[in-house]
Amino acid sequence: MTGPDRRSLLKALVATLAGLSVGGVSTPAAASADASESWTTQTLEAFADTLIPGRRRFAGDVAVAGAVTGPGAVQAGVVDLLRSPELPVAPLLPEIAALLDARAVTYAALRLIWLPPTHPPFVGLSFSDRTALVGGLFDPDDLDRPIWQVMSLLVGLAFDTAGQQDTVEALGQGHPGLTWLRFPEPDPDGLWRFPDFSYGRPLAALHPNTTASGSPA
């Protein structure tokens, strides 16, 4: 691959995950305003839509294949998460998208699939071909497998946890992923409490030195 080497990409991706683990990140207000204009963005959207597909956003939407009727990772704001200026992966997105597009060109050439020149190569593939290509990215002997593994985690975070937003704020705005998953609302003070044990009973007695926040002493 050209541009930053695999080690640099992986370091940036892992640092991104670390940044998300400490809370939501802010995203620029115009982050998605020009989403349909960028080939990089279209490729990233198509990748995310292959992992967590959703309905098309508008007539002629080429990045989102429309394989299902519900919301997917794109509707859940995956591109906003990836493009946040607070995350180190943002500057490397063109290289990651270019790597995926290069794989799409090879995939299409081996199968005599015509790719329209008006769209990025990966976007030009049908949903079934996108799925087959992405599945191969996770083969154990694929050199770039760690990159796609971390990228897939980021896609999941956008849909499953609204990692690009404060959770309370995301729920209040009707975040597509959290709403689809029926993520529980917090208590009136904005905190989540779970009075019912998942097994119907506590698994161990509370240590007497446990702090009020639930942390071990």
Side-chain angles (χ1 to χ4, degrees):
M1 60 180 294
T2 59
D5 58 22
R6 293 180 178 86
R7 185 182 298 273
S8 298
L9 284 175
L10 286 171
K11 287 175 64 177
L13 287 167
V14 171
T16 294
L17 286 176
L20 288 170
S21 69
V22 299
V25 299
S26 62
T27 55
S32 59
D34 61 349
S36 63
E37 304 299 324
S38 166
W39 275 39
T40 293
T41 300
Q42 287 186 40
T43 299
L44 295 172
E45 287 179 339
F47 174 76
D49 182 67
T50 305
L51 294 173
I52 306 179
R55 59 179 173 269
R56 284 194 167 96
R57 296 161 293 178
F58 49 84
D61 191 352
V62 293
V64 176
V68 299
T69 57
V74 175
Q75 291 85 353
V78 64
V79 172
D80 287 347
L81 184 152
L82 294 173
R83 293 174 62 184
S84 169
E86 297 178 23
L87 300 181
V89 72
L92 299 177
L93 293 178
E95 284 75 19
I96 295 174
L99 178 60
L100 182 58
D101 280 329
R103 298 292 291 265
V105 170
T106 300
Y107 177 94
L110 291 174
R111 292 160 180 80
L112 300 179
I113 298 172
W114 181 79
L115 295 174
T118 54
H119 307 311
F122 184 76
V123 175
L125 294 173
S126 67
F127 183 75
S128 60
D129 284 319
R130 293 181 189 180
T131 301
L133 171 56
V134 169
L137 299 179
F138 297 95
D139 287 344
D141 58 348
D142 192 294
L143 291 176
D144 298 319
R145 181 189 185 197
I147 294 173
W148 308 119
Q149 287 177 318
V150 179
M151 285 292 289
S152 68
L153 285 174
L154 295 174
V155 171
L157 284 173
F159 186 84
D160 297 338
T161 71
Q164 69 275 25
Q165 290 181 268
D166 174 80
T167 307
V168 175
E169 176 184 287
L171 281 171
Q173 295 175 356
H175 180 270
L178 298 183
T179 301
W180 183 264
L181 296 171
R182 298 180 182 177
F183 197 90
E185 296 283 344
D187 290 338
D189 59 1
L191 299 177
W192 279 264
R193 297 176 179 83
F194 304 93
D196 299 322
F197 297 102
S198 59
Y199 285 89
R201 61 185 178 83
L203 300 182
L206 189 67
H207 191 280
N209 293 330
T210 301
T211 66
S213 66
S215 301

